[in-house]
Amino acid sequence: GVGPSLHGVFGRKAGEAPGFTYSDGLKGSGIVWTPENLDKWVQGPTKVVKGTKMILAKPVTDAADRENLIAYIQQESTK
């Protein structure tokens, strides 16, 4: 499956993008998407929220790769 758009993701609460069915764990997590929270998330969603349905085919383990990915998302999500 495909997850929600990352456009405007920063500042949005996890599990609140319309049109998707989220796990109760993610909806109730209280996470607000910040660069720091996204950094943790891309290392492994199930490490951040137990029982989440969202998974990554390949977690991003390299710190520089995560930094570049988050910078790219920040840049593109505001266009």
Side-chain angles (χ1 to χ4, degrees), residues 29-78:
S29 69
I31 293 172
V32 174
W33 294 120
T34 63
E36 297 78 18
N37 284 334
L38 192 56
D39 180 73
K40 294 173 191 172
W41 184 262
V42 298
Q43 291 180 65
T46 58
K47 294 177 185 177
V48 179
V49 176
K50 299 294 180 202
T52 185
K53 297 188 295 184
M54 295 182 124
I55 60 167
L56 297 176
K58 184 177 180 203
V60 184
T61 56
D62 182 79
D65 288 346
R66 290 193 312 273
E67 184 177 337
N68 289 331
L69 173 63
I70 292 165
Y72 174 78
I73 293 169
Q74 282 182 303
Q75 176 185 333
E76 293 298 313
S77 73
T78 59

